[in-house]
Amino acid sequence: MTKPKVGFYGLTGCAGCQLSVLFSEDEIVSVLGLIDIVSFPFIREKNIDQHFDICIVEGLVADKHDLETLKKLRENSSILVAIGACAHTGNVPAYRHYTLKENYQHLLYEKKEGIQDIDPTPLDSWVKVDYTIPGCPPDKREIMNFIKALLLGKEPLTYSSPVCVECRRNNNLCLLEEGKLCLGPITRGGCNSVCTNGSFECWGCRGQTDDANIPAFVALLQEKGFKREEILKRMREFVGLKLPESTMVFFNGNNNA
Amino acid sequence: MATYTVRKLDLRSLLQKIMQSSELIAPVKTDLVRFQVVEDPHDICLTEQSFYPVKEFIFRKHEVLVSFNGKKVITPVLEPKERVIFGLRRCDLNAIMHQDKALIEVDVNYRAQRQNLTLIGYHCNEAPSQYCFCGTLELKDFYDMMFFDRGDEFIVDVATENGSRIIGKYPEFFRKSNHKVTEADKKIKNADRLFKTDISKLYDHPDWQKGVDKCLSCAACTSLCPTCYCFEIKDEVSIHDTKKVDRVREWSSCQLKGFSRVAGNHVFRDNRKERFKHRIYHQLDYFKKRYGINMCVGCGRCITACPTRIDFVDIINGMK
């Protein structure tokens, strides 16, 4: 069997997702036996722009250069994979869609030649994305499972149940009971509840489950004393542009109970 | 079989002795009370109900059913060590009995975990949680030994050979008693709050919606239920040698959409209401039809742990 040619790329982002791939210390050597990493600019000097069977892209589109790179990668790739919350949802950078320019203008870099700003947007705002590995950063087991599934010709399965499932399985104390604004019940798991295991509440980086009961969840948080605005803010923080329409409708609607 | 007394101040020493020859599992309090392997008997907490149930020590969260090594299928050899579980409430013990009914004959892994296992109960005098409702569920005597708390001492009822073995091994702690354990001893105060145990004709009752509206489908209820045993099976291929595969079983939950998803992406219980009712009907109707006994043991953990505190006991009681 010829090994599939794989490229790892990063657009605007923190490189944490690419590091998650590299941090799979126990597996990475075996992975190299299964795939041919032909391009990985983050860790390698010489990289060949060519056809990729699988191209795994981190980060989001924030300037014109990102967009050109992404379009070229799409053209060159049979399978394009968005890895991590930025590529998937737009993550924290996309939050600027929800606020006025005057609130962040002072934080922007000075306009320099060569930098042409684009509103931060996830990959699928621009090109067709075949698969997504969610999370900020993604769980390394999930990265491995994804690679294995593709190699075996299986459809990679995205974990669909809420974070609470893994959190309870890890015998944790529920952080909602502690009075924390934890988004576990409405957030897709697969992260082995890594944050809540350490008593840090879930901020929803993997996106909402398609089964989230928003009215009940918001009512619960309001009962615990949280305000609608802070709930919405927390829900948007990591979900970027992927907050479901139904959730927006709920918050915009006449639900000021 | 026989009744004994144990002085309360001797309990820690007795458990310390047991720990020398067996693994001891008991409720331990840290931020919550959980059943865990005991390191120091002083950590054991008998004043509260354990938040998490004991089931993970018997019906494992993650276990390999069979492996394929590239050439042939291998069944793991399970060699259960000597284990004693102490501090099981009447509900916890009945929950083990109910899981036995469903699994012990058909499931090799479960059967192995039930071997070399001694079950020692600690009987509630009063409901330890406001959500308890075991009183009307006709729980049975199911234990090797049961400790009844009588102030300075325990009355210990020994029901099996397994229990007698503990007496024989550590006779210095046990004094023979003439006390006969009666129904009065087994009465648990303030645990009779479920008034209706026959819900067979209430499936279409509109009041279920009260629970459904508050349900987040987070599966806390089934994770913490001592009887729930739904699972999923998947194949885990080794990244180091893709010819090697473990077929793995993991806990799952009827409250999750993915649980009833089949090939072609069809989901049988797509609707939250059907999932919500399915759990309660499995607990209080379907299991009874099959095994002649309610699956639910009335421990109330599904309510204690529910983020929105859906009290299905209240919902059922209120149905006209």
Side-chain angles (χ1 to χ4, degrees), chain A residues 26-28 30-31 34 144-145 147-148 151-152 154 157-162 164-165 167-174 176-177 185-186 199 210-218 220 223-224, chain B residues 31-32 34-35 51-52 56 61 212-220 223-224 232 235-242 250-253 255-258 261 270 272 275 304-309:
Chain A
D26 297 333
E27 295 89 8
I28 196 79
S30 300
V31 170
L34 299 169
M144 287 306 136
N145 285 338
I147 292 172
K148 280 190 281 189
L151 289 171
L152 294 164
K154 286 185 178 181
L157 274 183
T158 316
Y159 192 92
S160 59
S161 304
C164 297
V165 172
C167 188
R168 303 287 187 172
R169 208 164 291 173
N170 290 328
N171 286 4
N172 292 331
L173 170 68
C174 177
L176 287 165
E177 303 288 345
I186 59 158
S199 296
D210 62 359
D211 193 31
N213 185 346
I214 296 297
F217 186 57
V218 173
L220 170 71
E223 250 170 64
K224 291 182 183 291
Chain B
D31 54 343
L32 288 172
R34 303 171 180 85
F35 276 93
F51 187 84
Y52 283 94
E56 63 180 286
K61 290 174 180 172
V212 177
D213 286 342
K214 290 171 73 181
C215 179
L216 304 173
S217 303
C218 70
S223 300
L224 273 82
E232 59 185 19
D235 289 346
E236 288 183 353
V237 179
S238 165
I239 194 92
H240 307 298
D241 180 351
T242 48
E250 280 185 353
W251 285 7
S252 188
S253 167
Q255 298 307 296
L256 303 170
K257 248 187 174 180
R261 189 175 64 209
D270 197 31
R272 198 185 315 279
R275 280 178 273 147
T304 314
C306 175
T308 59
R309 294 288 185 284

Side-chain angles (χ1 to χ4, degrees), chain B residues 197-226:
Chain B
T197 52
D198 180 6
I199 58 167
S200 57
K201 303 214 164 48
L202 298 170
Y203 192 83
D204 294 319
H205 200 288
D207 282 7
W208 292 118
Q209 195 61 39
K210 292 181 188 172
V212 177
D213 286 342
K214 290 171 73 181
C215 179
L216 304 173
S217 303
C218 70
C221 47
T222 55
S223 300
L224 273 82
C225 175

Side-chain angles (χ1 to χ4, degrees), chain B residues 170-307:
Chain B
Y170 315 107
E172 65 273 30
F173 295 101
F174 296 92
R175 292 223 325 259
K176 194 110 179 99
S177 163
N178 293 323
H179 183 87
K180 264 233 159 301
V181 173
T182 62
E183 286 309 308
D185 286 309
K186 294 183 220 160
K187 173 75 190 154
I188 299 171
K189 270 185 254 164
N190 301 328
D192 299 328
R193 65 187 195 95
L194 176 65
F195 305 139
K196 271 188 214 125
T197 52
D198 180 6
I199 58 167
S200 57
K201 303 214 164 48
L202 298 170
Y203 192 83
D204 294 319
H205 200 288
D207 282 7
W208 292 118
Q209 195 61 39
K210 292 181 188 172
V212 177
D213 286 342
K214 290 171 73 181
C215 179
L216 304 173
S217 303
C218 70
C221 47
T222 55
S223 300
L224 273 82
C225 175
T227 66
C228 281
Y229 53 83
C230 286
F231 57 82
E232 59 185 19
I233 294 176
K234 54 187 178 188
D235 289 346
E236 288 183 353
V237 179
S238 165
I239 194 92
H240 307 298
D241 180 351
T242 48
K243 289 191 191 73
K244 289 187 180 165
V245 188
D246 285 337
R247 179 154 294 176
V248 163
R249 170 169 68 196
E250 280 185 353
W251 285 7
S252 188
S253 167
C254 60
Q255 298 307 296
L256 303 170
K257 248 187 174 180
F259 181 68
S260 63
R261 189 175 64 209
V262 294
N265 235 358
H266 179 69
V267 177
F268 278 99
R269 277 190 290 272
D270 197 31
N271 183 303
R272 198 185 315 279
K273 191 173 188 173
E274 286 171 9
R275 280 178 273 147
F276 182 85
K277 289 201 279 187
H278 183 78
R279 174 177 74 94
I280 294 162
Y281 271 80
H282 190 200
Q283 292 284 348
L284 290 173
D285 192 41
Y286 308 152
F287 195 85
K288 187 162 53 186
K289 282 178 179 144
R290 183 150 178 193
Y291 299 105
I293 193 167
N294 278 315
M295 181 164 143
C296 178
V297 292
C299 70
R301 285 185 178 92
C302 55
I303 309 165
T304 314
C306 175

Side-chain angles (χ1 to χ4, degrees), chain A residues 30-249:
Chain A
S30 300
V31 170
L32 291 173
L34 299 169
I35 61 175
D36 190 3
I37 299 181
V38 290
S39 188
F40 203 153
F42 181 54
I43 54 163
R44 213 161 64 181
E45 206 172 335
K46 281 190 182 159
N47 294 287
I48 317 151
D49 261 342
Q50 55 168 308
H51 175 78
F52 303 113
D53 295 308
I54 306 165
C55 186
I56 301 181
V57 184
E58 180 208 291
L60 45 70
V61 174
D63 73 6
K64 216 176 154 196
H65 177 69
D66 285 337
L67 186 56
E68 280 162 13
T69 310
L70 178 63
K71 282 184 172 163
K72 193 164 169 195
L73 291 174
R74 176 69 270 187
E75 268 169 35
N76 287 351
S77 309
S78 302
I79 295 172
L80 185 87
V81 183
I83 188 170
C86 289
H88 173 209
T89 71
N91 202 357
V92 181
Y95 197 82
R96 83 180 216 194
H97 289 272
Y98 301 120
T99 186
L100 296 170
K101 194 163 186 182
E102 62 230 44
N103 292 335
Y104 61 80
Q105 200 159 20
H106 63 287
L107 298 168
L108 295 178
Y109 295 123
E110 269 177 58
K111 289 280 175 228
K112 288 254 165 67
E113 216 176 317
I115 299 182
Q116 275 183 282
D117 214 35
I118 291 179
D119 262 357
T121 26
L123 306 192
D124 68 354
S125 300
W126 302 100
V127 298
K128 178 172 172 275
V129 171
D130 298 299
Y131 296 102
T132 299
I133 307 175
C136 181
D139 184 275
K140 58 184 188 182
R141 291 167 316 159
E142 212 169 27
I143 298 171
M144 287 306 136
N145 285 338
F146 178 84
I147 292 172
K148 280 190 281 189
L150 279 191
L151 289 171
L152 294 164
K154 286 185 178 181
E155 191 64 16
L157 274 183
T158 316
Y159 192 92
S160 59
S161 304
V163 172
C164 297
V165 172
E166 288 163 300
C167 188
R168 303 287 187 172
R169 208 164 291 173
N170 290 328
N171 286 4
N172 292 331
L173 170 68
C174 177
L175 297 176
L176 287 165
E177 303 288 345
E178 291 271 272
K180 292 182 179 170
L181 210 176
C182 181
L183 298 184
I186 59 158
T187 302
R188 196 187 298 154
C191 50
N192 192 32
S193 64
V194 59
C195 297
T196 57
N197 294 348
S199 296
F200 189 81
E201 66 271 27
C202 174
W203 284 35
C205 73
R206 301 169 66 85
Q208 271 187 21
T209 62
D210 62 359
D211 193 31
N213 185 346
I214 296 297
F217 186 57
V218 173
L220 170 71
L221 293 172
Q222 283 184 301
E223 250 170 64
K224 291 182 183 291
F226 296 105
K227 300 205 168 51
R228 284 171 74 91
E229 309 81 75
E230 63 184 315
I231 299 166
L232 178 60
K233 187 167 180 261
R234 176 61 58 88
M235 282 185 182
R236 274 172 170 168
E237 209 119 43
F238 278 76
V239 175
L241 298 177
K242 291 287 159 59
L243 198 70
E245 189 61 34
S246 54
T247 305
M248 291 307 298
V249 169

Side-chain angles (χ1 to χ4, degrees), chain B residues 11 18 25 39 76 89 98 107 124 145 173 189 244 271:
Chain B
L11 179 66
I18 290 175
I25 296 156
E39 285 166 17
R89 308 286 174 140
H98 295 172
D107 193 297
C124 306
M145 296 169 104
F173 295 101
K189 270 185 254 164
K244 289 187 180 165
N271 183 303

